[in-house]
Amino acid sequence: MSPSSPPARPLPGHYRSAAVIGGTHGLGRALALAARDRGLRTVVYGRSAASVPDPDGLLPRSLDLCDPQSVRTAPVDVPSPAYVLWVAGAFLKKALAETTEDEVERLTRLLFSGPVLFLRRLLAEAEDPVHLITIASSSSWKRRERESLYCGLKAAQATFVRNLVPELLAAHPENRITLVNPGGLAVPDFHTGLALDFGTMMDPGEVAEIVWNIAADQRRAFTEVQILRSRAPGSEGTPEVSYGARAPQAPEEPGADATAGETASTPIRHH
C-alpha cells in the first residue's frame, strides 16, 4: 500500500486469519498483503511460497496443486475463524485439438481438482465459521475463442461454489461465501506470450481492496459480484462493480444470425 493510500478498512466480526490458496503472485499476492494490512494472520499457499518476498506478517506454506501428494499433505492448521481465499490460476489460450494431454491435466488440477481437494481438507478441519472468497473469472460466462479449456474450468469453479453454499450453511449457519468474477488484470506473468495493453487492464491491488471491502460489508450468506474493467475513453481499466450472476454469452459472434448456423471468428480480447 502506498503512503497516500487510505488505511485498510477493518474487517467486522471475529475472524483471526486468512488462508490464500495461490497467494504468491498477481491478485493472490495483492489479496494476501491486503489481508495482512487488515490485521489478519495470513497464510500464503503456493508452489513458490518459500521464496515469497517481504514475508513480514505472512506465513508461507508450500503447496503444489498439480501434485496430488502435496495436496494431500500440505498443512491445513489455520487459526480460526478464518477467511479462505481460492485464487490459484493460470491461463491457456490454445484450441483444444492443439492442447496436449499434459496441458489438460495440469490446468485441470491447478484450476479445479487440486483446489477442490485441498479445500475439502481445510473445511473438514474447520470447527468455527469460514468465509470462503472464490476468485473465478468473467471468462466463466463470456464468449471466448481458443480458450475453451480455461473458460470451462472457470465455469466449473463458479458453479461448484454456488452449489457448495447449502453444504457450508448446513455445517455452520455463520459461514459466508463470496464469488468474484473479475475481468482483465494487469498481471503480465498470467498472460505470458500475449501482446496485450496492460495499461487498459485493472490494477490487482485496486481489485484486492474492492474484494476485501465487499467481504467486510457482506451480511448475506452468499454474494456474487462482477468486477469488470471500463472501456470508456479516459477511464480504461477502471474497475466497475456489479452484483449477481451473468447468463452465459452465446457462442456466435455478437450480431451473427444464429439461425443461419454462422460461427464467424473474430479476435476477442481476454478478461
Side-chain angles (χ1 to χ4, degrees):
M1 189 182 324
S2 67
S4 59
S5 300
R9 183 189 303 183
L11 292 165
H14 49 286
Y15 288 97
R16 299 174 56 199
S17 67
V20 187
I21 305 171
T24 59
H25 299 285
L27 180 58
R29 172 73 174 165
L31 286 163
L33 292 174
R36 178 199 64 186
D37 292 344
R38 285 164 168 76
L40 296 171
R41 185 73 174 106
T42 305
V43 179
V44 174
Y45 286 100
R47 188 173 56 183
S48 59
S51 60
V52 168
D54 183 29
D56 289 346
L58 301 178
L59 177 60
R61 289 182 178 171
S62 179
L63 171 65
D64 185 350
L65 293 168
C66 295
D67 179 359
Q69 182 65 14
S70 178
V71 172
R72 285 193 291 266
T73 60
V76 292
D77 54 315
V78 177
S80 61
Y83 289 93
V84 175
L85 293 88
W86 174 358
V87 199
F91 180 66
L92 180 67
K93 190 176 184 71
K94 183 183 287 190
L96 185 62
E98 301 169 2
T99 306
T100 67
E101 182 177 342
D102 182 65
E103 286 174 326
V104 172
E105 184 173 337
R106 287 187 63 82
L107 197 66
T108 300
R109 285 182 174 178
L110 178 61
L111 295 186
F112 190 70
S113 59
V116 167
L117 289 169
F118 189 67
L119 185 63
R120 170 180 168 271
R121 293 184 58 216
L122 277 172
L123 294 177
E125 290 291 321
E127 297 181 356
D128 298 309
V130 168
H131 188 149
L132 174 63
I133 301 174
T134 301
I135 307 299
S137 172
S138 62
S139 290
S140 66
W141 54 267
K142 284 196 171 186
R143 171 188 179 271
R144 299 295 184 210
E145 293 183 3
R146 296 172 59 83
E147 299 178 21
S148 54
L149 179 60
Y150 174 77
C151 293
L153 291 169
K154 281 298 180 180
Q157 178 184 5
T159 300
F160 169 81
V161 169
R162 294 187 193 102
N163 287 280
L164 186 63
V165 173
E167 298 176 28
L168 290 181
L169 292 180
H172 200 296
E174 293 182 26
N175 282 344
R176 295 292 179 263
I177 305 91
T178 308
L179 173 58
V180 182
N181 295 306
L185 294 161
V187 183
D189 289 349
F190 184 77
H191 304 275
T192 303
L194 297 181
L196 300 175
D197 181 2
F198 293 104
T200 65
M201 303 176 85
M202 297 185 294
D203 175 71
E206 187 174 2
V207 172
E209 289 298 320
I210 292 172
V211 170
W212 277 116
N213 287 340
I214 289 169
D217 291 338
Q218 182 170 334
R219 298 296 179 268
R220 300 180 62 182
F222 174 71
T223 292
E224 182 167 352
V225 60
Q226 316 292 328
I227 307 178
L228 306 180
R229 54 175 170 154
S230 172
R231 297 179 181 273
S235 299
E236 295 92 342
T238 301
E240 296 180 337
V241 179
S242 61
Y243 288 82
R246 295 286 187 93
Q249 292 179 340
E252 295 84 5
E253 178 185 1
D257 183 0
T259 61
E262 297 179 0
T263 56
S265 176
T266 56
I268 301 297
R269 299 192 66 177
H270 173 70
H271 280 293

